[in-house]
Amino acid sequence: MGAVTLQNIRKTYEKGTVLAVDDVSFTVEPGELFGLIGPDGAGKTSIFRILTTLLLADSGTATVDGHDVRKDYRAIRSTVGYMPGKFSLYQDLTVEENLSFFATLFETTIAANYDLIKEIYEQIEPFKTRRAGQLSGGMKQKLALCCALIHKPTVLFLDEPTTGVDAVSRKEFWDMLGRLKQQGITILVSTPYMDEATRCERIALMQSGKILSIDTPANIIKAYPGKLYAVKADAMHPLLHHLRAYPAARSSYAFGEFVHVAFWDDQADDDEALRQYLAGKKHTGIVIKPITPSIEDRFIDLMTAAPANAHATATR
Amino acid sequence: MQPPPASAQAIVCHELTKQFGDFRAVDKITLSVAQGEIFGFLGANGAGKTTAMRMLCGLSYPSAGQATVAGFDVYRQQEKIKQNIGYMSQKFSLYENLTILENIEFFGGIYGLSNQQLRAKSEELITTLGLHKEAKKLVGSLPLGWKQKLAFSVAIIHEPKIVFLDEPTGGVDPVTRRQFWDLIYAAADRGITNFVTTHYMDEAEYCNRVSIMVDGRVEALDSPANLKLQYHADSMDEVFYQLARGAQRGE
C-alpha cells in the first residue's frame, strides 16, 4: 500500500467548464520524496487540496496512509502536514505562538517533536517574539514548515514552497527537505522550477491537468527521443530565426546562452550539416555540441509533442 | 513636449539610495541602461530590487543620489516618468473581470491613446497574439502564460521608452516562457528598453547585460559572458550563487 494513492482523479471548476485535474493516477511510496513538476494551471494545487481533504474530487478515489480522502478525512487531517502555497499562518500571532498553537491543535507539544524541527527552528528562534506578519519571506517559509512538521506527520504536503524564492534560498530549502526525508517522512512537493526536479526520487511532469510522464528524473531524461544539441553563434537572435527555419530541426528553442536543437531523424552527420547551413547564413563563432537533455528539455518535448488543450484549463 | 534626452541612455542612476529609518534598502547604486537594451536586474530576495525599481518608476522618492529615467528626474518629474514607462509584474498585470478587449481599451485610454489609435492597436495586438477567438472573454479565464503575454503587450501599448518587468515569467510553462522572451526581443528591436527581474537564471543569459544586487548594493554588472569569465563559472546560476550566498540579510 502506497503512502499516497490516486486513481482516476478528476476535478472541474466553474460548473464543469474548467478541467483542472484530468484522470490522474499515481502512487507515492512510504518514505519517498515525490515531486509534481509543472507550471501554473497544471493542477498541482487541486491535487494537494484533494489529498489533504480540503476539496472533493468530481470522480476517482484517493487515499493517504490507507485512509480514503472522502470517508476518512478526519484520520487524514490528524496525521498529515500541509504547507499551502499561500502563507496561511496567523499574521498577528508571534512565531512561538503560531508554533505552539499548531502543536496544541494536534494534541502534542513543541518539546515532544523538537528534534524534527530543531535545525529549521533554530534559524528563526532569534525572532520568536516577532509577529508572523512581520517576518521576511524566507523566515515565513521556515515557520510554515515548522508548523507543518510539529506533529511529526506521516506525509508532508508542500505546495510550491520555493515559488518566488531566489536561487540560493531554493538550494537551501531542498537541502533541508533531503534531511527531512532521512527521518522517514513521505514528502509530496510541487514546483514550477524544472531544475528542482532532480532533487526528487520520482517526479510527475504535469501540464493542463494531465500527467505527461511519471518516473525517476534519470529515466525521464533517458526517455528523451533522439539526440539533443546545444548551438551557439555570435549573433544569437538571428541564429534562433535561422534554426527555426531549418527543415531538419524538429525543435529549437533558447536555453540559457545556447539554443537547444533536436532533429526529426537522427543522422550521424546532423551537426556537420547544421554547421554548413549556419555558415551559409554567414554566422560566425559557431559552436555545436551534443548534450544530455535536462528535465526541462523533456518537458518541452512532451508539451510540444502533445499540444493538448493548452488553454481549456485556465485556473487553479 | 519635453525635448528628447541628450544621451541615448534610457536609465542613468548615480549613487541612488533609499533609507528606511536605520535600514538602508538601496545603497548607492550606480548604473546606466542604454535605449533598446535588455537589462537583467537580479538579486536575492530582500536585496533591494523592488525598492530600487519603485524609485525608478517614480513611485518612491530616493533618500540620496541622482537618477533619470527616459530623461526625466526621479525627484521632480515623477509624473513624466510614469507617462513614459510601462510596467508589469507577475502579481498585478490586468483586470481579471474585464475582457481582453476591455483591458486593452482601459489601459490604452489611461495612457491617452485616441479612439482611432486604440482600434488599430487592439486589432494589431490581438492578431499578433492570436487571440481573435478570445477577445471577448474575461482575462481571468486565460491560462497564466497567455495572460502574461497579453499583459506585456498592454504594458507597451503606448510605446514607452522603457518597460519594467518584475518577475514576468514566474510560474509560466517552459514553452510559453520562451514565447514571452520573443516578445521582449521584438520590443527591444523596436527600441524599447526592457528592465527585467527574474529568478530563472537561464533567462539572465538572454539579457544584454545583467546586474546582481546583494544587500542593497550592485555587486556585479556586465554582460552574462563577461560575468561568467570573471567568476570562472559555466552558468549564470553559478555566478549568482557565488555572489548571493554571501548575502547578510533576508527579505
Side-chain angles (χ1 to χ4, degrees):
Chain A
M1 173 61 94
V4 176
T5 68
L6 291 89
Q7 259 192 330
N8 309 109
I9 288 288
R10 182 185 158 85
K11 176 71 193 175
T12 58
Y13 297 108
E14 308 284 328
K15 300 191 180 101
T17 57
V18 178
L19 181 56
V21 181
D22 187 3
D23 195 27
V24 164
S25 306
F26 65 87
T27 300
V28 182
E29 300 303 332
E32 192 173 28
L33 176 50
F34 189 96
L36 291 180
I37 318 289
D40 280 21
K44 307 184 303 288
T45 299
S46 295
I47 288 175
F48 274 71
R49 303 196 64 178
I50 289 166
L51 292 173
T52 51
T53 78
L54 301 172
L55 196 65
L56 289 173
D58 295 5
S59 59
T61 55
T63 66
V64 177
D65 286 331
H67 302 296
D68 183 86
V69 290
R70 195 174 281 263
K71 292 199 297 282
D72 308 324
Y73 66 94
R74 282 180 183 279
I76 293 174
R77 288 182 188 180
S78 63
T79 55
V80 303
Y82 174 41
M83 183 172 152
K86 184 170 175 284
F87 182 71
S88 305
L89 301 180
Y90 292 95
Q91 311 259 6
D92 48 3
L93 294 185
T94 66
V95 167
E96 204 173 23
E97 284 165 347
N98 265 296
L99 191 57
S100 67
F101 175 80
F102 281 94
T104 311
L105 266 191
F106 288 101
E107 295 173 349
T108 182
T109 60
I110 297 177
N113 293 314
Y114 191 69
D115 280 359
L116 199 56
I117 63 160
K118 184 172 181 285
E119 186 208 349
I120 308 159
Y121 189 65
E122 275 173 354
Q123 299 172 47
I124 50 173
E125 207 176 6
F127 312 99
K128 66 183 179 185
T129 57
R130 192 181 287 189
R131 287 184 188 189
Q134 307 299 313
L135 295 175
S136 71
M139 287 196 283
K140 275 183 183 160
Q141 183 199 41
K142 285 178 182 132
L143 176 60
L145 185 58
C146 286
C147 290
L149 280 170
I150 195 60
H151 58 300
K152 197 169 200 317
T154 50
V155 184
L156 183 60
F157 294 95
L158 304 170
D159 194 5
E160 296 203 16
T162 55
T163 290
V165 175
D166 68 65
V168 175
S169 311
R170 290 205 279 133
K171 283 196 174 78
E172 288 173 4
F173 192 84
W174 279 94
D175 291 343
M176 216 149 63
L177 286 194
R179 290 189 290 270
L180 278 178
K181 189 202 125 51
Q182 288 169 356
Q183 313 244 16
I185 297 175
T186 307
I187 303 173
L188 184 57
V189 57
S190 68
T191 178
Y193 295 105
M194 305 280 151
D195 58 340
E196 295 179 349
T198 51
R199 298 288 205 122
C200 302
E201 286 169 283
R202 279 194 311 143
I203 53 174
L205 300 184
M206 291 198 69
Q207 164 79 3
S208 303
K210 281 197 183 67
I211 291 184
L212 300 173
S213 180
I214 183 164
D215 210 327
T216 61
N219 282 344
I220 281 184
I221 287 169
K222 234 182 268 169
Y224 189 87
K227 286 179 288 190
L228 186 67
Y229 291 89
V231 182
K232 197 161 89 164
D234 291 332
M236 287 304 280
H237 202 203
L239 175 72
L240 195 53
H241 283 292
H242 289 140
L243 285 170
R244 282 177 185 163
Y246 186 55
R250 172 163 59 92
S251 71
S252 22
Y253 47 86
F255 205 110
E257 64 174 316
F258 291 95
V259 176
H260 284 188
V261 182
F263 295 94
W264 285 111
D265 299 298
D266 283 317
Q267 308 282 336
D269 62 347
D270 278 335
D271 46 345
E272 197 38 52
L274 177 60
R275 189 182 303 276
Q276 280 169 18
Y277 166 78
L278 292 176
K281 297 283 180 192
K282 307 268 184 285
H283 278 285
T284 52
I286 301 169
V287 176
I288 302 176
K289 56 179 186 184
I291 52 161
T292 307
S294 66
I295 296 287
E296 186 154 349
D297 289 306
R298 182 62 178 142
F299 195 96
I300 291 172
D301 182 65
L302 287 164
M303 252 186 93
T304 43
N309 42 349
H311 86 271
T313 52
T315 51
R316 294 168 171 248
Chain B
M1 284 291 283
Q2 294 277 335
S7 70
Q9 299 296 327
I11 300 172
V12 180
C13 67
H14 182 70
E15 300 196 343
L16 195 67
T17 298
K18 182 77 185 191
Q19 188 93 23
F20 295 109
D22 56 5
F23 177 67
R24 186 166 284 191
V26 174
D27 191 4
K28 294 190 177 174
I29 63 171
T30 297
L31 53 85
S32 56
V33 181
Q35 195 59 49
E37 184 172 13
I38 303 174
F39 190 88
F41 193 57
L42 310 183
N45 297 117
K49 298 191 299 290
T50 303
T51 308
M53 259 193 146
R54 285 178 56 82
M55 290 191 281
L56 296 177
C57 291
L59 297 172
S60 149
Y61 286 108
S63 310
Q66 291 93 45
T68 58
V69 176
F72 300 109
D73 184 84
V74 291
Y75 292 94
R76 295 187 311 275
Q77 297 175 296
Q78 286 193 333
E79 290 311 310
K80 281 282 177 201
I81 290 176
K82 288 176 199 165
Q83 287 163 20
N84 283 279
I85 63 169
Y87 175 83
M88 79 161 275
S89 76
Q90 187 197 0
K91 291 181 190 91
F92 175 78
S93 42
L94 300 167
Y95 289 97
E96 303 246 313
N97 49 0
L98 294 185
T99 65
I100 291 174
L101 266 179
E102 285 167 347
N103 266 290
I104 295 173
E105 282 167 19
F106 179 78
F107 284 101
I110 281 190
Y111 284 114
L113 268 61
S114 67
N115 283 344
Q116 199 185 350
Q117 285 173 315
L118 260 178
R119 265 194 303 277
K121 266 286 177 190
S122 301
E123 182 56 33
E124 176 197 321
L125 213 151
I126 283 170
T127 306
T128 315
L129 296 174
L131 285 172
H132 272 293
K133 273 193 287 182
E134 283 76 19
K136 290 189 175 149
K137 285 190 184 159
L138 297 185
V139 160
S141 70
L142 290 178
L144 178 76
W146 293 38
K147 226 184 267 180
Q148 296 304 76
K149 284 196 280 183
L150 177 65
F152 178 71
S153 307
V154 168
I156 57 171
I157 197 165
H158 55 304
E159 292 288 324
K161 296 197 175 66
I162 304 156
V163 62
F164 289 89
L165 306 166
D166 194 2
E167 287 183 42
T169 56
V172 174
D173 72 67
V175 173
T176 315
R177 203 150 68 75
R178 287 170 172 81
Q179 292 167 352
F180 191 93
W181 275 88
D182 287 342
L183 293 179
I184 293 183
Y185 281 121
D189 286 347
R190 293 211 305 276
I192 296 176
T193 301
N194 289 263
F195 191 89
V196 55
T197 75
T198 179
H199 285 311
Y200 292 100
M201 285 304 129
D202 59 322
E203 293 186 346
E205 305 269 7
Y206 309 151
C207 302
N208 300 120
R209 284 186 311 146
V210 166
S211 73
I212 298 177
M213 274 185 88
V214 180
D215 292 341
R217 290 182 295 274
V218 169
E219 289 291 345
L221 198 175
D222 212 326
S223 66
N226 286 346
L227 285 175
K228 281 182 285 184
L229 270 181
Q230 189 186 339
Y231 289 89
H232 308 286
D234 290 331
S235 65
M236 279 305 293
D237 193 42
E238 270 180 63
V239 173
F240 184 82
Y241 193 74
Q242 283 187 37
L243 280 162
R245 82 180 153 195
Q248 294 303 303
R249 68 191 202 206
E251 198 174 327

